[in-house]
């Protein structure tokens, strides 16, 4: 089943059933079905709706609250996202799940702030997103967590000199490399150069030329670039004869990137989880495939399901679906049970403390597990 078909099925159901009943818990979902966020929002929404359907089949959240979802396509456009969030609030949404990036989440949270509607991003990882207000939550390990873990891994591998490639056009593409660099330097490494690019930049030859001229030469290049920028960059880098180790953020955990072939062989990236044999995550994949015919091939599916787990546990602790009570309860969750990994909001900036996985891409399109660990909250770079 395609993401678009899942979206249309859910939306059609809402039209046919009309307004939600008084006891229903109404959740509004921003899900970009086109544009740069589609590779992340699509799988996240599919996993989210799958687990909502499972809960409803068992009597609702905690066997008590049936969930009605209002799903709207943002087309990866911030202005459109603001518009649809307001529409969902007007339709009675008591919780908003926003797109998988900080910038649209920040814009949405400014709309939901007036009524204190809890707002959680599908997979936005820039920790600045929660600074809008106490009603805003992450769901995935934040960029400063990922950057800290990846920097420690790089130093453990004996890598000494890093070149950072970042874009100021997004909090994600800017912050991730900067967090990595801060921790890398604190561990004795050196930043030997930095280049900025624009989102959707088609030509990275100038940046590659600058990297080739760096002195000393980097033994690792770090970027939080996403599609289509990362494919353009890695092709230009390898095409220029540079075989330098490349590392990046969780955004590289997609079948498109893994499908680039030899140019991504050995690329290392962070991730939120890995489906170990016999794990709850592995069972989720089997269940999702059996129900939909689609095999989840990245972590955004399972994290979408974990958002349902987070909401359910917050509602249980709150004892109601009141937005303020759910917000307060969510912020106090400690060692909450997840499928991708467990999660803690208590004592954080509402970006949950979760396991970070380091993975390696192979030339034949596979993803290899490297390590799993948590960042130390006491040493995390500040947003």
């Amino acid at each position: 089943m395609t993401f678009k078909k899942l979206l249309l099925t859910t939306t059609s159901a809402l039209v046919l059933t009309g307004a939600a009943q008084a006891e229903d818990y109404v959740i509004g979902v921003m899900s970009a079905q086109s544009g740069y966020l589609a590779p992340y929002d699509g799988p996240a929404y599919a996993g989210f709706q799958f687990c909502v359907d499972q809960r409803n089949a068992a009597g609702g959240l905690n066997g008590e609250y049936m969930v009605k979802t209002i799903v709207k396509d943002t087309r990866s456009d911030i202005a459109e996202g603001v518009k649809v969030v307001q529409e969902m609030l007007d339709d009675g949404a008591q919780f908003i799940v926003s797109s998988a990036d900080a910038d649209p989440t920040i814009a949405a949270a400014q709309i939901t702030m007036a009524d204190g509607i809890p707002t959680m991003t599908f997979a936005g990882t820039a920790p600045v997103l929660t600074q809008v207000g106490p009603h805003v939550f992450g769901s995935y390990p934040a960029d400063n967590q990922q950057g800290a873990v990846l920097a420690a891994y790089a130093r453990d591998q004996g890598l000494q000199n890093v070149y950072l490639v970042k874009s100021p056009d997004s909090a994600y593409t800017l912050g991730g490399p900067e967090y990595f660099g801060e921790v890398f330097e604190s561990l004795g490494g050196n930043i030997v150069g930095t280049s900025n690019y624009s989102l959707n930049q088609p030509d990275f030859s100038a940046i590659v030329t600058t990297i080739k001229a760096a002195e000393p030469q980097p033994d690792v290049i770090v970027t939080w670039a996403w599609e289509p920028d990362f494919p353009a960059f890695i092709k230009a880098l390898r095409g220029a004869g540079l075989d330098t180790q490349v590392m990046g953020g969780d955004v590289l955990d997609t079948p498109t990137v893994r499908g680039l072939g030899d140019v991504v062989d050995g690329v290392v990236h962070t991730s939120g989880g890995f489906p170990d044999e016999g794990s709850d995550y592995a069972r989720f994949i089997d269940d999702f495939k059996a129900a939909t015919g689609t095999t989840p091939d990245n972590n955004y599916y399972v994290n979408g399901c974990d958002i349902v787990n987070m909401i359910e546990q917050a509602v249980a602790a709150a004892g109601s679906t009141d937005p303020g009570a759910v917000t307060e309860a969510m912020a106090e969750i400690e060692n909450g049970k997840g499928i991708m990994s467990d999660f803690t909001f208590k004592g954080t900036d509402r970006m949950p403390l979760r396991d970070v996985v380091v993975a390696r891409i192979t030339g034949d399109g596979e993803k290899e597990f490297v390590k799993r660990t948590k960042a130390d909250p006491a040493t995390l770079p500040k947003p």
Side-chain angles (χ1 to χ4, degrees):
M1 182 180 292
T2 65
F3 305 141
K4 187 173 183 180
K5 189 179 293 183
L6 280 167
L7 174 64
L8 292 174
T9 299
T10 304
T11 306
S12 298
L14 286 168
V15 172
L16 289 171
T17 57
Q21 300 301 309
E23 66 272 16
D24 290 335
Y25 189 37
V26 183
I27 301 178
V29 181
M30 300 166 60
S31 180
Q33 300 299 301
S34 60
Y36 78 97
L37 284 171
Y40 320 106
D41 279 12
Y45 165 62
F48 176 84
Q49 189 62 50
F50 173 72
C51 285
V52 164
D53 292 343
Q54 284 187 322
R55 296 303 193 283
N56 282 345
L61 299 181
N62 305 304
E64 185 174 1
Y65 300 101
M66 295 294 288
V67 175
K68 291 285 186 181
T69 52
I70 305 172
V71 187
K72 291 183 179 284
D73 182 8
T74 69
R75 304 196 300 271
S76 297
D77 180 79
I78 290 179
E80 182 68 15
V82 168
K83 172 176 167 286
V84 302
V85 166
Q86 187 59 63
E87 290 173 351
M88 292 188 288
L89 294 179
D90 292 343
D91 288 338
Q94 300 159 277
F95 196 108
I96 294 292
V97 180
S98 62
S99 284
D101 188 29
D103 299 324
T105 298
I106 289 169
Q110 290 170 341
I111 303 300
T112 58
M113 180 165 48
D115 295 322
I117 302 298
T119 304
M120 176 176 282
T121 172
F122 263 139
T125 51
V128 295
L129 67 86
T130 61
Q131 295 178 0
V132 177
H135 64 301
V136 189
F137 297 85
S139 63
Y140 209 81
D143 292 327
N144 52 352
Q145 296 178 43
Q146 295 185 46
V149 168
L150 192 62
Y153 171 75
R155 289 295 292 133
D156 287 345
Q157 300 306 299
L159 302 175
Q160 181 66 37
N161 298 316
V162 63
Y163 195 101
L164 304 178
V165 179
K166 55 189 181 179
S167 172
D169 296 344
S170 163
Y172 177 87
T173 54
L174 176 65
E178 292 184 343
Y179 295 132
F180 178 99
E182 182 177 336
V183 175
F184 193 74
E185 285 189 311
S186 75
L187 296 174
N190 305 310
I191 299 174
V192 297
T194 300
S195 287
N196 289 343
Y197 68 94
S198 299
L199 294 183
N200 299 314
Q201 179 172 314
D203 185 0
F204 283 82
S205 59
I207 290 178
V208 170
T209 298
T210 303
I211 293 173
K212 289 183 73 171
E215 186 59 44
Q217 272 288 286
D219 43 27
V220 60
I221 299 167
V222 170
T223 182
W224 253 236
W226 54 47
E227 301 168 24
D229 301 318
F230 182 79
F233 169 68
I234 195 70
K235 289 175 183 177
L237 187 76
R238 299 303 188 227
L242 288 177
D243 59 359
T244 312
Q245 173 70 66
V246 173
M247 295 185 177
D250 62 290
V251 76
L252 301 185
D253 186 18
T254 71
T256 300
V257 171
R258 290 194 293 273
L260 292 173
D262 289 343
V263 295
V264 291
D265 189 21
V267 168
V268 170
H269 64 82
T270 51
S271 185
F274 194 88
D276 300 305
E277 185 175 353
S279 66
D280 289 344
Y281 189 171
R283 284 188 287 274
F284 166 81
I285 291 175
D286 291 341
D287 291 346
F288 189 95
K289 181 179 180 181
T292 69
T294 296
T295 302
D297 53 12
N298 59 54
N299 287 319
Y300 303 112
Y301 289 91
V302 69
N303 196 64
C305 185
D306 268 347
I307 290 173
V308 179
N309 291 323
M310 293 172 183
I311 294 172
E312 183 171 50
Q313 290 171 53
V315 168
S320 79
T321 57
D322 174 74
V326 171
T327 293
E328 291 180 8
M330 185 78 76
E332 290 298 310
I333 292 177
E334 186 171 12
N335 298 321
K337 180 63 177 174
I339 299 174
M340 184 175 75
S341 68
D342 291 347
F343 51 90
T344 290
F345 286 101
K346 187 174 183 176
T348 72
D349 55 0
R350 299 180 309 285
M351 296 297 289
L353 183 64
R354 303 188 74 175
D355 288 346
V356 175
V357 166
V358 177
R360 181 185 297 107
I361 300 173
T362 66
D364 58 358
E366 297 299 319
K367 178 174 66 174
E368 296 178 339
F369 176 84
V370 176
K371 67 176 295 185
R372 178 187 285 110
T373 190
K374 279 189 176 73
D376 181 358
T379 60
L380 282 180
K382 301 298 182 186

